[in-house]
Amino acid sequence: MRVLLIEDDSVLGAAIRDQIHADGHSVDWVVRLDSANEALMAAAYDLVLLDLMLPDGLGIPFLKALRSRGDVTPVVILTALDQVSDRISGLNAGADDYMVKPFDLAELSARIGSVARRYHGNPNPIISLGPLIIDLAARSALLEGKAVILTAREWVLFEAFLQRPGQLLSKAQLEERLYSFDTDVDSNAIEVHVSRLRKKLGAKVIETERGLGYRLGRP
């Protein structure tokens, strides 16, 4: 998952960024709304984390403008504004979730996963794929009843396929899911991750369309 974090508090922003990285996702962190607009025009994001009080403006008008131009990217508001009226305003503006600071970073991870699953049309975290049973919320997988251990990046890559069954995903699309703007990406990074997933989950779990990309298969 590729996340855009819009947060001007340097300490909190760094903590959130590190949490998202630890979960295996990529994150681009900006501290101003104008930078956020530039980032949204330059890349496709799976989720936006939005503070409401930024140096160059307020988050609610930004969110309303985002929705008015047809952008349906999931948005989770992160703010110190804790009144019921503030929550109502945020949700009515088009937010998918609303978290009040201070919050637990583990809960933030869970909320991100929950919103992402709803957005992709499958709120149920349990997925069956042949002999595989996957629990997206717990980040656990069983292959013929035996636990399979995946790294954080392997989970994120596998989730990309699970969220788009049957859809061909290009190498560039997968790189966007895994890496942020400031990350140097090895030319064969995706191939390496796919190879490891096949070794752990079955040779047929991901199919290759040579020269085009990859899609979810049946292990």
Side-chain angles (χ1 to χ4, degrees):
M1 184 185 304
R2 187 167 188 171
V3 177
L4 176 62
L5 170 61
I6 311 170
E7 170 61 65
D8 67 326
D9 184 308
S10 59
V11 175
L12 179 59
I16 294 172
R17 177 200 59 200
D18 292 347
Q19 178 74 15
I20 296 171
H21 278 159
D23 289 338
H25 306 298
S26 67
V27 56
D28 295 317
W29 176 19
V30 299
V31 300
R32 296 173 56 88
L33 294 174
D34 54 5
S35 299
N37 273 318
E38 292 173 1
L40 286 165
M41 288 187 290
Y45 289 95
D46 298 285
L47 186 133
V48 175
L49 300 176
L50 173 64
D51 185 17
L52 293 185
M53 309 290 287
L54 282 304
D56 58 337
L58 302 176
I60 294 298
F62 171 85
L63 177 54
K64 288 181 177 178
L66 193 72
R67 296 304 188 224
S68 67
R69 63 176 184 252
D71 193 318
V72 297
T73 305
V75 174
V76 177
I77 288 176
L78 310 176
T79 180
L81 301 176
D82 60 355
Q83 298 299 307
V84 172
S85 59
D86 297 319
R87 296 172 185 265
I88 292 172
S89 178
L91 294 171
N92 284 344
D96 297 87
D97 204 347
Y98 192 107
M99 295 189 69
V100 176
K101 303 173 184 177
F103 48 77
D104 186 89
L105 292 173
E107 181 183 358
L108 175 62
S109 291
R111 297 277 192 107
I112 288 173
S114 177
V115 169
R117 289 193 300 273
R118 292 201 306 271
Y119 175 73
H120 288 289
N122 183 18
N124 183 0
I126 307 299
I127 296 175
S128 296
L129 187 66
L132 271 172
I133 304 296
I134 303 110
D135 185 336
L136 293 174
R139 285 196 162 190
S140 65
L142 296 175
L143 176 60
E144 297 180 342
K146 296 181 180 179
V148 179
I149 305 302
L150 301 180
T151 67
R153 287 216 184 275
E154 288 167 355
W155 266 115
V156 171
L157 186 64
F158 192 37
E159 285 174 353
F161 292 109
L162 292 170
Q163 290 167 352
R164 297 168 176 81
Q167 181 178 333
L168 189 67
L169 299 176
S170 69
K171 181 179 176 180
Q173 287 176 305
L174 295 172
E175 286 175 344
E176 278 205 348
R177 296 271 297 195
L178 290 178
Y179 304 104
S180 54
F181 283 128
D182 57 356
T183 303
D184 292 327
V185 183
D186 292 337
S187 60
N188 67 337
I190 297 300
E191 289 87 345
V192 170
H193 287 308
V194 168
S195 175
R196 289 172 178 168
L197 284 174
R198 286 171 173 159
K199 287 180 181 178
K200 293 180 178 182
L201 301 176
K204 298 180 180 179
V205 70
I206 298 173
E207 299 174 351
T208 300
E209 290 286 338
R210 192 168 298 279
L212 297 175
Y214 305 89
R215 64 163 54 90
L216 186 67
R218 301 290 295 186

